[in-house]
Amino acid sequence: MSAYLEQVRHLANQLVHADDPYDTGLQLMGATLDVFTTYEHAGSVYLLWGALTDWVELRPHEEALAMRHMVTAAREWLQLDPHDGEAVRRYFQHWLYEVLGYDREQR
């Protein structure tokens, strides 16, 4: 698991400094495919980066806003301890429900 979390940290750092964070967002989503059964928050990682990259694809007139959210989400990830389950839960609650508007009842 530590290799996956290190990869996510590396990609988040890369995204913060990218000229175009979209591709790195796709990489963050894709990196999660192999850990769905081993990392408790894998589904949330996938949903977050899937929603942010979909935002760019489906609402091109809001691309700049979506990209800013990607950078903010990556920065906030880098600030938390990914081994602190409660901090990770709060992070995903904020991003998935408060920012992206997922329905809590559907998850």
Side-chain angles (χ1 to χ4, degrees):
M1 187 51 46
S2 62
Y4 167 72
L5 291 176
E6 186 56 39
Q7 181 181 20
V8 169
R9 182 169 200 73
H10 172 74
L11 288 169
N13 189 54
Q14 200 174 29
L15 188 145
V16 167
H17 298 96
D19 291 332
D20 181 1
Y22 174 80
D23 286 332
T24 309
L26 288 175
Q27 290 176 38
L28 275 159
M29 187 176 72
T32 305
L33 294 173
D34 293 333
V35 297
F36 270 106
T37 59
T38 57
Y39 181 55
E40 174 184 3
H41 303 287
S44 294
V45 173
Y46 190 84
L47 279 176
L48 172 61
W49 292 103
L52 289 170
T53 54
D54 282 354
W55 190 348
V56 171
E57 295 168 15
L58 301 174
R59 294 183 276 175
H61 60 285
E62 296 180 0
E63 180 177 330
L65 177 60
M67 297 284 198
R68 284 193 303 272
H69 278 310
M70 285 184 192
V71 171
T72 301
R75 277 192 181 121
E76 289 179 6
W77 179 264
L78 291 168
Q79 293 172 353
L80 65 84
D81 175 359
H83 300 287
D84 179 346
E86 186 55 36
V88 172
R89 273 188 284 288
R90 283 192 309 269
Y91 171 85
F92 285 118
Q93 285 176 358
H94 169 72
W95 279 100
L96 294 176
Y97 305 122
E98 296 168 18
V99 176
L100 295 170
Y102 275 92
D103 184 349
R104 291 178 194 266
E105 299 302 316
Q106 292 182 350
R107 274 225 67 239

